[in-house]
Amino acid sequence: RCRNHDQGCRVTVQYDLSDDTNLYAKIASGYKAGGFNLRQADFTQSYDEETLVSYEMGWKTELLDKRLRWNGAIFYSDYDDMQLDILLPNQPSPIVTQTQNAGTAEIMGLETELSFLLTDTLRVDLSYGYLDSEIKQVEGDDANLYALPNAPKNMFSGTIEWQVAQLPLGDLTFSFDYNWQDDSVTGVRRLVGISMDSYGVGGARLQLAGEDW
């Protein structure tokens, strides 16, 4: 499906390998609108839109009488005219920046998820993502000083859900989930204080739910 330039374009091709397996490929483009550098209150300092083209191939399956669902995808994205905050030289403050269309970047990776109904009362969900992102070029600065924010290389999550019992008041269910991700940065330019170490978070819940509540 292709629309006009302001709304982007998307083309998807799908193929049913069997009743339980679907393959697809997708190409999509999008943009982030341009603007003005309001920090300097100078409306003559504008920047243009940045554009993104992404390519994706993946699969969706339902196996073992639909008790096992396994989906996955590999993808590649290309940024052009990326909007970056560039440090201005010869300024009283060393942190004064100006947004410019100064960068190009590439992202590639994969993601997969699995949901397995082991028994009628026990389900396991797993997911994994791998991301390789790099800002390739920054006009007027060193590209090694820049990184895409909030883009950890590895991410993992898992959930176990167990229906403990069926009680007169409702179903008693226990679940445990865990999420983990690699270290990352929270800003585009590599500065002191914007890095975030890898971490994992887990949680457990015991729930009683009836048909009407």
Side-chain angles (χ1 to χ4, degrees), residues 9-47:
C9 176
R10 182 175 64 184
V11 177
T12 303
V13 178
Q14 300 187 59
Y15 176 71
D16 290 329
L17 192 63
S18 67
D19 292 339
D20 300 322
T21 303
N22 174 266
L23 306 177
Y24 72 90
K26 179 171 64 176
I27 302 175
S29 65
Y31 79 102
K32 180 180 178 182
F36 296 91
N37 284 281
L38 300 181
R39 298 190 197 113
Q40 288 79 37
D42 184 356
F43 289 96
T44 64
Q45 297 294 330
S46 64
Y47 51 92

Side-chain angles (χ1 to χ4, degrees), residues 18-198:
S18 67
D19 292 339
D20 300 322
T21 303
N22 174 266
L23 306 177
Y24 72 90
K26 179 171 64 176
I27 302 175
S29 65
Y31 79 102
K32 180 180 178 182
F36 296 91
N37 284 281
L38 300 181
R39 298 190 197 113
Q40 288 79 37
D42 184 356
F43 289 96
T44 64
Q45 297 294 330
S46 64
Y47 51 92
D48 296 327
E49 65 183 32
E50 70 176 28
T51 59
L52 170 69
V53 180
S54 64
Y55 308 86
E56 181 179 329
M57 295 186 298
W59 64 92
K60 298 179 180 180
T61 66
E62 289 186 332
L63 309 172
L64 303 178
D65 292 329
K66 301 188 184 300
R67 300 177 73 91
L68 174 64
R69 179 181 298 122
W70 180 38
N71 301 333
I74 57 175
F75 55 87
Y76 170 82
S77 300
D78 183 25
Y79 279 95
D80 199 15
D81 293 326
M82 192 173 184
Q83 299 167 6
L84 296 175
D85 292 333
I86 303 298
L87 291 174
L88 294 177
N90 304 320
Q91 294 292 323
S93 173
I95 60 172
V96 175
T97 62
Q98 183 179 84
T99 304
Q100 301 176 9
N101 296 100
T104 61
E106 293 180 351
I107 303 173
M108 62 185 68
L110 64 87
E111 54 188 19
T112 184
E113 58 183 15
L114 183 145
S115 181
F116 194 9
L117 187 62
L118 295 172
T119 70
D120 291 340
T121 59
L122 182 62
R123 190 183 80 244
V124 175
D125 297 322
L126 301 171
S127 67
Y128 170 75
Y130 172 80
L131 197 64
D132 183 11
S133 62
E134 182 182 6
I135 294 182
K136 306 290 290 185
Q137 180 181 3
V138 178
E139 295 182 12
D141 209 340
D142 184 358
N144 292 322
L145 300 176
Y146 293 79
L148 290 175
N150 305 311
K153 178 163 286 190
N154 295 281
M155 293 174 289
F156 168 81
S157 67
T159 301
I160 298 175
E161 186 173 290
W162 174 35
Q163 183 179 338
V164 180
Q166 291 181 312
L167 305 175
L169 292 176
D171 294 336
L172 182 64
T173 303
F174 171 79
S175 61
F176 175 79
D177 61 82
Y178 181 77
N179 297 274
W180 178 88
Q181 71 172 44
D182 251 333
D183 57 285
S184 60
V185 295
T186 58
V188 176
R189 204 171 198 278
R190 298 182 188 272
L191 300 172
V192 176
I194 70 166
S195 62
M196 184 166 56
D197 293 335
S198 61

